[in-house]
Amino acid sequence: MFILDLKSRIPIYEQLKNRTLEMIMAGVLEQDSQLPSVRSLAKELGVNPNTIQKAYQDMEKEGIIYSIAGRGSFVSDIKVVQKKQIDIELDSLEEICKHLKRGNVPKEKVISCVEKVYSEED
């Protein structure tokens, strides 16, 4: 379910957040579905429970999940999660645009690329 790359430069808690978002967007985790407990997920992944707890706390602050005392953590409203995912993707796009600008790629070429992608049929 949760697959992490322990050799990645991306912190484990960030990988867990990203993977959770991916699973929600793919419909693997549905609204109000319960996430594994901190202890069980830490044991399953072989990581410190504090790492899992940090990921869960961050996701709760961002509105991706919610917690009920004594019951666990659950997937929030899918619309909130979708908005968060879009924000993440737009941040990535912005970083790519900055990189292209530093590489002196003309703005018209970047815009043309975006227009090409949006004109393609799915």
Side-chain angles (χ1 to χ4, degrees):
M1 186 170 176
F2 290 96
I3 299 170
L4 304 176
D5 180 0
L6 302 178
K7 296 178 182 177
S8 174
R9 299 177 97 181
I10 300 170
I12 292 172
Y13 77 94
E14 284 287 339
Q15 290 183 52
L16 181 59
K17 287 171 51 178
N18 293 341
R19 183 68 182 128
T20 302
L21 277 170
E22 288 171 6
M23 290 191 307
I24 293 168
M25 297 302 289
V28 175
L29 292 174
E30 296 178 346
Q31 184 171 324
D32 299 320
S33 60
Q34 187 170 10
L35 297 174
S37 72
V38 169
R39 285 185 192 162
S40 67
L41 189 55
K43 185 176 181 180
E44 177 185 329
L45 297 175
V47 299
N48 190 309
N50 292 334
T51 302
I52 306 299
Q53 185 64 40
K54 178 168 178 36
Y56 278 22
Q57 286 174 341
D58 283 2
M59 288 190 289
E60 189 164 3
K61 286 178 191 171
E62 294 171 8
I64 297 167
I65 65 172
Y66 64 93
S67 296
I68 299 175
R71 295 210 34 232
S73 297
F74 302 84
V75 175
S76 290
D77 183 339
I78 297 299
K79 290 176 186 168
V80 172
V81 177
Q82 289 172 333
K83 183 188 178 319
K84 179 64 181 168
Q85 184 64 27
I86 289 168
D87 290 345
I88 289 169
E89 298 296 336
L90 288 173
D91 287 346
S92 295
L93 179 59
E94 185 175 340
E95 287 303 313
I96 291 168
C97 288
K98 287 178 183 177
H99 177 75
L100 292 170
K101 182 180 177 183
R102 285 191 299 270
N104 295 318
V105 175
K107 177 171 74 171
E108 294 75 22
K109 282 198 167 218
V110 176
I111 292 169
S112 174
C113 180
V114 171
E115 288 175 342
K116 178 183 173 193
V117 169
Y118 271 82
S119 68
E120 293 174 354
E121 291 186 32
D122 290 331

